[in-house]
């Protein structure tokens, strides 16, 4: 597991560069814990609001402002994860993590260094295997405490005594929580087959564009699963589709119903994926999992609220 950012315990730099660095680290943490850019941004704002709400003398007395910010952000995320389970039980259809674009790719490499870009949470998340869609989906099966302990320790390399202060349990208990989450992640992980991933997605796009059901079936694992997330906000299938033939026929039907849809190869959460546009507007983002030379999972994000980072271009 690569580490997006190591623990930082020094004084908080009051200048713009120091604040941006801390904000980036907190955004990375919150997105991995919550799977939502919007929620991650809210967590960062809340964390800074609590910091600046303290009297100046109390802030000056904090030995490790970076550690303080992380502790507060972690606790806010833990609370949100608990309430999120209740909200997601009421969610229409399947809930999937919010997909991350490659912003430079979206803008054709025209991104500059403006303050607006720097404030965009989509620009602040470090791309590595801990944001791959398969990884985030597996984390959804863990408890809030397991997820926080695992991400803080295994991804961000925080020692268990510090994790314990955030989770509110003993270091030994946090070690067990992280171990439980780690077993689930390892059980779900398959060989990445990185050399085939991009080629498979490219062939998938061509077959889908051509409505070639036979070619689509050949690219999909017989037991492949396609999971949609529309939130009930757009017309879409609400439950996962299982089996290569059922998925292929469903995709061909989409092309029949929306012949003007444009399929573009795009990086999704750091891996090859697809973006579908209709009349120039992104209407779906697809992430893929690949094993043994075939596509095993498709995650199709259609909820427009989760595509805001994709519509900026």
């Amino acid at each position: 597991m690569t580490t997006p950012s190591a623990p930082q315990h020094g004084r908080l730099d009051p200048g713009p560069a120091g604040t941006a660095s801390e904000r980036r680290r907190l955004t990375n943490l919150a997105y991995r814990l919550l799977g939502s850019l919007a929620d991650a941004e809210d967590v960062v704002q809340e964390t800074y609001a609590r910091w600046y709400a303290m009297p100046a003398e109390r802030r000056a007395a904090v030995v490790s402002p970076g550690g303080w910010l992380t502790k507060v952000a972690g606790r806010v995320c833990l609370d949100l994860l608990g309430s999120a389970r209740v909200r997601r039980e009421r969610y229409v259809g399947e809930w999937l993590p919010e997909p991350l674009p490659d912003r430079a790719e979206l803008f054709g490499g025209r991104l500059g260094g403006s303050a607006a870009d720097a404030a965009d949470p989509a620009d602040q998340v470090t791309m590595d295997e801990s944001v791959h869609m398969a990884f985030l989906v597996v984390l959804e099966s863990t408890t809030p405490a397991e997820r926080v302990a695992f991400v803080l320790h295994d991804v961000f390399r925080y020692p268990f005594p510090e994790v314990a202060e955030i989770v509110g349990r003993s270091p030994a208990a946090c070690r067990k929580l992280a171990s439980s989450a780690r077993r689930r992640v390892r059980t779900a992980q398959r060989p990445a087959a990185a050399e085939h991933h991009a080629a498979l997605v490219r062939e998938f796009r061509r077959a889908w564009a051509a409505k070639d059901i036979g070619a689509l079936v050949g690219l999909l694992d017989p037991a492949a699963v396609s999971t949609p997330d529309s939130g009930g906000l757009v017309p879409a299938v609400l439950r996962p589709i299982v089996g290569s033939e059922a998925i292929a026929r469903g995709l061909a039907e989409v092309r029949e119903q929306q012949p003007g849809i444009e399929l573009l190869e795009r990086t999704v959460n750091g891996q090859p994926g697809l973006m579908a546009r209709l009349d120039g507007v992104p209407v779906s983002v697809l992430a893929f999992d690949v094993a043994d030379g075939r596509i095993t999972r498709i995650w199709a994000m259609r909820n427009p609220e989760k595509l805001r980072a994709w519509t900026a271009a």
Side-chain angles (χ1 to χ4, degrees), residues 6 8 33 35 69-70 73 77 79 93 109 227-228 250 259 276 283 291:
Q8 299 175 14
L33 288 176
L69 291 170
T70 299
C77 286
D79 290 341
T227 304
V283 293

Side-chain angles (χ1 to χ4, degrees), residues 241-277:
I241 302 173
V242 180
S244 56
E245 289 202 16
I247 294 172
R249 294 188 183 282
L251 290 167
E253 185 175 338
V254 170
R255 290 289 293 167
E256 289 284 354
Q257 295 173 347
Q258 298 178 319
I261 202 165
E262 182 183 13
L263 305 174
L264 303 171
E265 294 177 38
R266 290 291 183 267
T267 300
V268 182
N269 285 60
Q271 291 187 303
L274 295 177
M275 176 179 70
R277 290 194 309 199

Side-chain angles (χ1 to χ4, degrees), residues 123-138:
D123 292 335
Q124 300 185 52
V125 180
T126 304
M127 295 295 177
D128 60 26
E129 63 266 33
S130 67
V131 297
H132 291 175
M133 191 59 63
F135 183 88
L136 294 177
V137 169
V138 171

Side-chain angles (χ1 to χ4, degrees), residues 204 215-222 224 243-245 247-248 251 294-295 298:
F204 180 91
L216 286 170
V217 169
L219 293 167
L220 294 162
D221 185 89
S244 56
E245 289 202 16
I247 294 172
L251 290 167
R294 289 193 174 185
I295 294 168
I298 302 173

Side-chain angles (χ1 to χ4, degrees), residues 23-40:
R23 182 176 293 275
R24 180 181 295 274
R25 184 169 58 85
L26 296 176
T27 301
N28 271 276
L29 173 64
Y31 174 74
R32 285 164 174 80
L33 288 176
L34 302 174
S36 165
L37 281 174
D39 288 346

